[in-house]
Amino acid sequence: MARDFVWHELYDLMEEDNCPVCALIDKRLHQAMDRFLFDSVNDRGLRKKIAEAHGFCNFHAHRLKEMGDPLAHAILYTDFLTQLSAEMRLNKPKKMNAYLAKQGCLFCETAATGEKSYVPVMVEGFADADFVKKYESSGLLCAAHLTQFLEKCKWKPAIAKKIIEINEKKYQHMIAVLSEIKRKNDYQNQHEVWTDEEKNMWKKVVSVMNDLSGIRK
Ligand SMILES: [Zn+2]
Ligand SMILES: [Zn+2]
C-alpha cells in the first residue's frame, strides 16, 4: 500500500501506547472546531441543522466550550435557548426526548467519517513492517478501534494474528503494572516508591477501554 498522508499521520501520532485512530480523530476534530468557530458560525443553514439536532452532544459541546470564543457561543446558544424555551412552554416532556439522547451532532459526524477512513488505513498499514514496528513500540488501538480493525481483517488472518499478539503482550504488561499498584497500596508496602509508569498506568488503561472519539456515549 502507498504510504499516503493518512498513513503518515497515523504513523506519527503513535506515541506512548496511545490509539492512533483516536489521536487522528481528535486532531481533525480540533481543526474542524477551529474552522467552525472561525467562519461557519454565521452560516444560517448550518445553524439550522445544528438547531434541528438540538445543539451538540454532551462530549462535543464541552469540547467546543474549551476552545473559547464567547461570541460564537453567544450566537449559537441564543438559538438553542430560544428553541428550548419554546419547547418547554409546550410542556410536553415526551417531545423533549432530543435532550435525553442527542442525535445528529455535527462533530460526531466528523468523527464517524474520520474513523471510517482511518481504521482501514491501519489495517493496510499492518502489511508494512515499519508501520508494525512503530505500533509495537508506541501504539495501541483502543477497544472500539481494535474491534473495527478486527472486523476489517476477516480475509486477512495473518494481520489479525499479528495485532492480537502485540496487543496481548501490552495488555499483560498493563495488568502486571496494575497489580503492582494494588500491591503498593497495601499498607505493608506503602513505603515503596512508585515508578513513573505506575503513576500513569491507571489513567492510560481508561483510554484503552474508552475511545476518545466522542461517538460512543
Ligand atoms: Zn481509538
Ligand atoms: Zn458529538
Side-chain angles (χ1 to χ4, degrees):
M1 180 213 169
R3 295 181 173 187
D4 66 4
F5 192 63
V6 173
W7 187 101
H8 282 284
E9 286 205 285
L10 290 167
Y11 183 94
D12 291 341
L13 284 166
M14 286 190 247
E15 50 188 23
E16 295 180 16
D17 279 347
N18 65 341
C19 173
V21 174
C22 281
L24 188 50
I25 289 172
D26 196 60
K27 185 178 169 189
R28 289 282 193 278
L29 175 73
H30 197 272
Q31 292 163 340
M33 284 186 167
D34 225 17
R35 266 197 315 275
F36 174 78
L37 290 171
F38 184 71
D39 59 17
S40 310
V41 103
N42 291 314
D43 178 335
R44 283 186 180 275
L46 191 61
R47 268 170 48 209
K48 189 165 171 271
K49 186 175 177 265
I50 298 166
E52 278 163 10
H54 292 74
F56 309 105
C57 74
N58 298 340
F59 179 84
H60 289 123
H62 288 283
R63 283 296 302 275
L64 192 68
K65 181 186 69 182
E66 284 160 19
M67 306 273 299
D69 206 327
L71 175 61
H73 279 75
I75 295 169
L76 290 167
Y77 281 80
T78 299
D79 290 355
F80 301 163
L81 287 169
T82 305
Q83 185 181 25
L84 173 60
S85 168
E87 290 173 345
M88 175 189 67
R89 276 185 274 113
L90 293 174
N91 194 11
K92 291 199 171 118
K94 276 210 169 83
K95 293 206 164 179
M96 295 171 74
N97 273 344
Y99 294 104
L100 298 177
K102 293 283 177 68
Q103 302 275 334
C105 164
L106 180 74
F107 297 114
C108 278
E109 284 174 9
T110 308
T113 306
E115 190 176 79
K116 239 182 240 150
S117 63
Y118 310 150
V119 172
V121 179
M122 282 300 298
V123 175
E124 295 299 327
F126 258 66
D128 184 321
D130 287 340
F131 196 88
V132 175
K133 210 169 139 202
K134 181 80 192 280
Y135 183 84
E136 212 163 4
S137 71
S138 2
L140 179 60
L141 286 178
C142 68
H145 293 135
L146 172 71
T147 306
Q148 292 175 335
F149 184 103
L150 291 172
E151 277 168 2
K152 296 254 171 260
C153 286
K154 206 169 160 197
W155 307 109
K156 297 182 171 87
I159 287 180
K161 187 168 172 272
K162 187 80 208 156
I163 200 166
I164 289 169
E165 243 173 55
I166 298 172
N167 278 28
E168 177 61 17
K169 227 182 262 172
K170 293 190 186 226
Y171 297 158
Q172 289 310 324
H173 175 69
M174 287 174 157
I175 290 168
V177 176
L178 295 178
S179 158
E180 273 300 279
I181 295 175
K182 291 188 279 180
R183 192 186 65 77
K184 287 185 181 174
N185 262 284
D186 192 296
Y187 81 100
Q188 291 173 1
N189 307 317
Q190 277 178 358
H191 62 281
E192 288 187 38
V193 179
W194 286 40
T195 63
D196 285 343
E197 195 178 34
E198 287 158 4
K199 282 180 199 160
N200 292 316
M201 190 58 89
W202 62 276
K203 288 183 265 188
K204 191 180 269 187
V205 291
V206 175
S207 301
V208 176
M209 291 305 295
N210 300 88
D211 71 90
L212 299 165
S213 69
I215 304 171
R216 282 159 283 274
K217 305 296 188 280

